[in-house]
Amino acid sequence: MRVQYRYNLSVLGFTPQVVARWVPILGLWGGALGVGALFLLEPIPRVRNVILQKIPVLGSYWNRPVDPNDSPF
Amino acid sequence: MAVSTLVYNTFIRRNSVFVSTILLGAFAFEIGFDSTIDKYWDRLNAGKQWKDIKHKYITAEE
């Protein structure tokens, strides 16, 4: 029987099989890096007001309004 | 036996998920520990901190 050859696309050596295998794993690692960044940047007010307060259940933990009479500015 | 297998398969097998679990655990512990200790401190020092006595020093609202 004659051997059938098929074309396998590749971009710079990355075939669809390699991409389909590794992209979900890289996605999971991106998530891990995101959680790590949030954990390390938690004290920054910008991060607190823009990102952390918006979390549904636990967001109220970062709602710390300062009475304007008490604020030093 | 099955519970440990389930835990292993969902949280420990993939290193990315394992790292995320550890970081989320640290985050949750920080929130829980800080709020618990803050409440304990406030209870220990009730009536002495500014937030407790502030209402006595409010003059006419400007």
mmCIF file with all atom_site columns, all heavy atoms in Angstrom, chain A residues 11-24:
data_model
loop_
_atom_site.group_PDB
_atom_site.id
_atom_site.type_symbol
_atom_site.label_atom_id
_atom_site.label_alt_id
_atom_site.label_comp_id
_atom_site.label_asym_id
_atom_site.label_entity_id
_atom_site.label_seq_id
_atom_site.pdbx_PDB_ins_code
_atom_site.Cartn_x
_atom_site.Cartn_y
_atom_site.Cartn_z
_atom_site.occupancy
_atom_site.B_iso_or_equiv
_atom_site.pdbx_formal_charge
_atom_site.auth_seq_id
_atom_site.auth_comp_id
_atom_site.auth_asym_id
_atom_site.auth_atom_id
_atom_site.pdbx_PDB_model_num
ATOM 1   N N   . VAL A 1 11 ? 4.036  27.192 12.000 1.00 0.00 ? 11 VAL A N   1
ATOM 2   C CA  . VAL A 1 11 ? 4.518  28.567 11.990 1.00 0.00 ? 11 VAL A CA  1
ATOM 3   C C   . VAL A 1 11 ? 5.741  28.614 12.870 1.00 0.00 ? 11 VAL A C   1
ATOM 4   O O   . VAL A 1 11 ? 5.641  28.436 14.073 1.00 0.00 ? 11 VAL A O   1
ATOM 5   C CB  . VAL A 1 11 ? 3.423  29.528 12.546 1.00 0.00 ? 11 VAL A CB  1
ATOM 6   C CG1 . VAL A 1 11 ? 3.974  30.925 12.674 1.00 0.00 ? 11 VAL A CG1 1
ATOM 7   C CG2 . VAL A 1 11 ? 2.211  29.496 11.656 1.00 0.00 ? 11 VAL A CG2 1
ATOM 8   N N   . LEU A 1 12 ? 6.897  28.838 12.302 1.00 0.00 ? 12 LEU A N   1
ATOM 9   C CA  . LEU A 1 12 ? 8.147  28.889 13.057 1.00 0.00 ? 12 LEU A CA  1
ATOM 10  C C   . LEU A 1 12 ? 8.342  27.614 13.878 1.00 0.00 ? 12 LEU A C   1
ATOM 11  O O   . LEU A 1 12 ? 8.831  27.652 14.991 1.00 0.00 ? 12 LEU A O   1
ATOM 12  C CB  . LEU A 1 12 ? 8.170  30.100 14.011 1.00 0.00 ? 12 LEU A CB  1
ATOM 13  C CG  . LEU A 1 12 ? 8.350  31.464 13.346 1.00 0.00 ? 12 LEU A CG  1
ATOM 14  C CD1 . LEU A 1 12 ? 8.152  32.563 14.379 1.00 0.00 ? 12 LEU A CD1 1
ATOM 15  C CD2 . LEU A 1 12 ? 9.733  31.573 12.738 1.00 0.00 ? 12 LEU A CD2 1
ATOM 16  N N   . GLY A 1 13 ? 7.923  26.479 13.335 1.00 0.00 ? 13 GLY A N   1
ATOM 17  C CA  . GLY A 1 13 ? 8.109  25.222 14.044 1.00 0.00 ? 13 GLY A CA  1
ATOM 18  C C   . GLY A 1 13 ? 6.986  24.849 14.972 1.00 0.00 ? 13 GLY A C   1
ATOM 19  O O   . GLY A 1 13 ? 6.983  23.762 15.530 1.00 0.00 ? 13 GLY A O   1
ATOM 20  N N   . PHE A 1 14 ? 6.003  25.707 15.189 1.00 0.00 ? 14 PHE A N   1
ATOM 21  C CA  . PHE A 1 14 ? 4.863  25.396 16.050 1.00 0.00 ? 14 PHE A CA  1
ATOM 22  C C   . PHE A 1 14 ? 3.731  24.822 15.207 1.00 0.00 ? 14 PHE A C   1
ATOM 23  O O   . PHE A 1 14 ? 3.137  25.512 14.403 1.00 0.00 ? 14 PHE A O   1
ATOM 24  C CB  . PHE A 1 14 ? 4.376  26.659 16.777 1.00 0.00 ? 14 PHE A CB  1
ATOM 25  C CG  . PHE A 1 14 ? 5.348  27.166 17.781 1.00 0.00 ? 14 PHE A CG  1
ATOM 26  C CD1 . PHE A 1 14 ? 6.042  28.349 17.566 1.00 0.00 ? 14 PHE A CD1 1
ATOM 27  C CD2 . PHE A 1 14 ? 5.591  26.466 18.954 1.00 0.00 ? 14 PHE A CD2 1
ATOM 28  C CE1 . PHE A 1 14 ? 6.944  28.819 18.494 1.00 0.00 ? 14 PHE A CE1 1
ATOM 29  C CE2 . PHE A 1 14 ? 6.487  26.931 19.884 1.00 0.00 ? 14 PHE A CE2 1
ATOM 30  C CZ  . PHE A 1 14 ? 7.172  28.108 19.663 1.00 0.00 ? 14 PHE A CZ  1
ATOM 31  N N   . THR A 1 15 ? 3.407  23.555 15.403 1.00 0.00 ? 15 THR A N   1
ATOM 32  C CA  . THR A 1 15 ? 2.302  22.927 14.689 1.00 0.00 ? 15 THR A CA  1
ATOM 33  C C   . THR A 1 15 ? 1.016  23.125 15.479 1.00 0.00 ? 15 THR A C   1
ATOM 34  O O   . THR A 1 15 ? 1.062  23.457 16.666 1.00 0.00 ? 15 THR A O   1
ATOM 35  C CB  . THR A 1 15 ? 2.565  21.425 14.524 1.00 0.00 ? 15 THR A CB  1
ATOM 36  O OG1 . THR A 1 15 ? 2.548  20.826 15.827 1.00 0.00 ? 15 THR A OG1 1
ATOM 37  C CG2 . THR A 1 15 ? 3.921  21.175 13.893 1.00 0.00 ? 15 THR A CG2 1
ATOM 38  N N   . PRO A 1 16 ? -0.153 22.918 14.833 1.00 0.00 ? 16 PRO A N   1
ATOM 39  C CA  . PRO A 1 16 ? -1.419 23.072 15.574 1.00 0.00 ? 16 PRO A CA  1
ATOM 40  C C   . PRO A 1 16 ? -1.496 22.158 16.789 1.00 0.00 ? 16 PRO A C   1
ATOM 41  O O   . PRO A 1 16 ? -2.089 22.516 17.801 1.00 0.00 ? 16 PRO A O   1
ATOM 42  C CB  . PRO A 1 16 ? -2.484 22.702 14.542 1.00 0.00 ? 16 PRO A CB  1
ATOM 43  C CG  . PRO A 1 16 ? -1.857 22.945 13.235 1.00 0.00 ? 16 PRO A CG  1
ATOM 44  C CD  . PRO A 1 16 ? -0.390 22.698 13.409 1.00 0.00 ? 16 PRO A CD  1
ATOM 45  N N   . GLN A 1 17 ? -0.900 20.969 16.690 1.00 0.00 ? 17 GLN A N   1
ATOM 46  C CA  . GLN A 1 17 ? -0.963 20.061 17.837 1.00 0.00 ? 17 GLN A CA  1
ATOM 47  C C   . GLN A 1 17 ? -0.217 20.650 19.025 1.00 0.00 ? 17 GLN A C   1
ATOM 48  O O   . GLN A 1 17 ? -0.703 20.610 20.171 1.00 0.00 ? 17 GLN A O   1
ATOM 49  C CB  . GLN A 1 17 ? -0.354 18.702 17.485 1.00 0.00 ? 17 GLN A CB  1
ATOM 50  C CG  . GLN A 1 17 ? -1.116 17.940 16.435 1.00 0.00 ? 17 GLN A CG  1
ATOM 51  C CD  . GLN A 1 17 ? -0.740 18.358 15.021 1.00 0.00 ? 17 GLN A CD  1
ATOM 52  O OE1 . GLN A 1 17 ? 0.015  19.310 14.834 1.00 0.00 ? 17 GLN A OE1 1
ATOM 53  N NE2 . GLN A 1 17 ? -1.272 17.665 14.049 1.00 0.00 ? 17 GLN A NE2 1
ATOM 54  N N   . VAL A 1 18 ? 0.966  21.195 18.772 1.00 0.00 ? 18 VAL A N   1
ATOM 55  C CA  . VAL A 1 18 ? 1.753  21.773 19.868 1.00 0.00 ? 18 VAL A CA  1
ATOM 56  C C   . VAL A 1 18 ? 1.019  22.955 20.472 1.00 0.00 ? 18 VAL A C   1
ATOM 57  O O   . VAL A 1 18 ? 0.921  23.098 21.698 1.00 0.00 ? 18 VAL A O   1
ATOM 58  C CB  . VAL A 1 18 ? 3.138  22.208 19.324 1.00 0.00 ? 18 VAL A CB  1
ATOM 59  C CG1 . VAL A 1 18 ? 3.879  23.023 20.346 1.00 0.00 ? 18 VAL A CG1 1
ATOM 60  C CG2 . VAL A 1 18 ? 3.931  20.982 18.914 1.00 0.00 ? 18 VAL A CG2 1
ATOM 61  N N   . VAL A 1 19 ? 0.446  23.796 19.605 1.00 0.00 ? 19 VAL A N   1
ATOM 62  C CA  . VAL A 1 19 ? -0.259 24.984 20.103 1.00 0.00 ? 19 VAL A CA  1
ATOM 63  C C   . VAL A 1 19 ? -1.461 24.580 20.938 1.00 0.00 ? 19 VAL A C   1
ATOM 64  O O   . VAL A 1 19 ? -1.679 25.091 22.042 1.00 0.00 ? 19 VAL A O   1
ATOM 65  C CB  . VAL A 1 19 ? -0.684 25.871 18.910 1.00 0.00 ? 19 VAL A CB  1
ATOM 66  C CG1 . VAL A 1 19 ? -1.611 26.973 19.365 1.00 0.00 ? 19 VAL A CG1 1
ATOM 67  C CG2 . VAL A 1 19 ? 0.533  26.463 18.251 1.00 0.00 ? 19 VAL A CG2 1
ATOM 68  N N   . ALA A 1 20 ? -2.268 23.614 20.421 1.00 0.00 ? 20 ALA A N   1
ATOM 69  C CA  . ALA A 1 20 ? -3.472 23.203 21.146 1.00 0.00 ? 20 ALA A CA  1
ATOM 70  C C   . ALA A 1 20 ? -3.130 22.573 22.477 1.00 0.00 ? 20 ALA A C   1
ATOM 71  O O   . ALA A 1 20 ? -3.925 22.591 23.409 1.00 0.00 ? 20 ALA A O   1
ATOM 72  C CB  . ALA A 1 20 ? -4.264 22.218 20.296 1.00 0.00 ? 20 ALA A CB  1
ATOM 73  N N   . ARG A 1 21 ? -1.939 22.025 22.581 1.00 0.00 ? 21 ARG A N   1
ATOM 74  C CA  . ARG A 1 21 ? -1.566 21.410 23.852 1.00 0.00 ? 21 ARG A CA  1
ATOM 75  C C   . ARG A 1 21 ? -1.123 22.430 24.873 1.00 0.00 ? 21 ARG A C   1
ATOM 76  O O   . ARG A 1 21 ? -1.455 22.325 26.059 1.00 0.00 ? 21 ARG A O   1
ATOM 77  C CB  . ARG A 1 21 ? -0.452 20.407 23.586 1.00 0.00 ? 21 ARG A CB  1
ATOM 78  C CG  . ARG A 1 21 ? -0.055 19.683 24.816 1.00 0.00 ? 21 ARG A CG  1
ATOM 79  C CD  . ARG A 1 21 ? 1.043  18.726 24.524 1.00 0.00 ? 21 ARG A CD  1
ATOM 80  N NE  . ARG A 1 21 ? 1.622  18.289 25.775 1.00 0.00 ? 21 ARG A NE  1
ATOM 81  C CZ  . ARG A 1 21 ? 2.646  17.462 25.856 1.00 0.00 ? 21 ARG A CZ  1
ATOM 82  N NH1 . ARG A 1 21 ? 3.183  16.986 24.761 1.00 0.00 ? 21 ARG A NH1 1
ATOM 83  N NH2 . ARG A 1 21 ? 3.107  17.111 27.023 1.00 0.00 ? 21 ARG A NH2 1
ATOM 84  N N   . TRP A 1 22 ? -0.379 23.452 24.437 1.00 0.00 ? 22 TRP A N   1
ATOM 85  C CA  . TRP A 1 22 ? 0.274  24.351 25.382 1.00 0.00 ? 22 TRP A CA  1
ATOM 86  C C   . TRP A 1 22 ? -0.496 25.625 25.694 1.00 0.00 ? 22 TRP A C   1
ATOM 87  O O   . TRP A 1 22 ? -0.268 26.229 26.743 1.00 0.00 ? 22 TRP A O   1
ATOM 88  C CB  . TRP A 1 22 ? 1.675  24.714 24.873 1.00 0.00 ? 22 TRP A CB  1
ATOM 89  C CG  . TRP A 1 22 ? 2.617  23.577 25.050 1.00 0.00 ? 22 TRP A CG  1
ATOM 90  C CD1 . TRP A 1 22 ? 3.075  22.732 24.088 1.00 0.00 ? 22 TRP A CD1 1
ATOM 91  C CD2 . TRP A 1 22 ? 3.196  23.151 26.286 1.00 0.00 ? 22 TRP A CD2 1
ATOM 92  N NE1 . TRP A 1 22 ? 3.911  21.803 24.641 1.00 0.00 ? 22 TRP A NE1 1
ATOM 93  C CE2 . TRP A 1 22 ? 4.011  22.041 25.986 1.00 0.00 ? 22 TRP A CE2 1
ATOM 94  C CE3 . TRP A 1 22 ? 3.115  23.606 27.604 1.00 0.00 ? 22 TRP A CE3 1
ATOM 95  C CZ2 . TRP A 1 22 ? 4.735  21.374 26.966 1.00 0.00 ? 22 TRP A CZ2 1
ATOM 96  C CZ3 . TRP A 1 22 ? 3.842  22.934 28.573 1.00 0.00 ? 22 TRP A CZ3 1
ATOM 97  C CH2 . TRP A 1 22 ? 4.639  21.834 28.250 1.00 0.00 ? 22 TRP A CH2 1
ATOM 98  N N   . VAL A 1 23 ? -1.385 26.063 24.808 1.00 0.00 ? 23 VAL A N   1
ATOM 99  C CA  . VAL A 1 23 ? -2.087 27.321 25.075 1.00 0.00 ? 23 VAL A CA  1
ATOM 100 C C   . VAL A 1 23 ? -2.948 27.257 26.339 1.00 0.00 ? 23 VAL A C   1
ATOM 101 O O   . VAL A 1 23 ? -2.909 28.195 27.143 1.00 0.00 ? 23 VAL A O   1
ATOM 102 C CB  . VAL A 1 23 ? -2.901 27.762 23.839 1.00 0.00 ? 23 VAL A CB  1
ATOM 103 C CG1 . VAL A 1 23 ? -3.964 28.770 24.199 1.00 0.00 ? 23 VAL A CG1 1
ATOM 104 C CG2 . VAL A 1 23 ? -1.985 28.361 22.801 1.00 0.00 ? 23 VAL A CG2 1
ATOM 105 N N   . PRO A 1 24 ? -3.707 26.172 26.583 1.00 0.00 ? 24 PRO A N   1
ATOM 106 C CA  . PRO A 1 24 ? -4.465 26.146 27.853 1.00 0.00 ? 24 PRO A CA  1
ATOM 107 C C   . PRO A 1 24 ? -3.557 26.196 29.084 1.00 0.00 ? 24 PRO A C   1
ATOM 108 O O   . PRO A 1 24 ? -3.877 26.843 30.082 1.00 0.00 ? 24 PRO A O   1
ATOM 109 C CB  . PRO A 1 24 ? -5.218 24.816 27.788 1.00 0.00 ? 24 PRO A CB  1
ATOM 110 C CG  . PRO A 1 24 ? -5.258 24.447 26.363 1.00 0.00 ? 24 PRO A CG  1
ATOM 111 C CD  . PRO A 1 24 ? -4.030 25.008 25.744 1.00 0.00 ? 24 PRO A CD  1
#
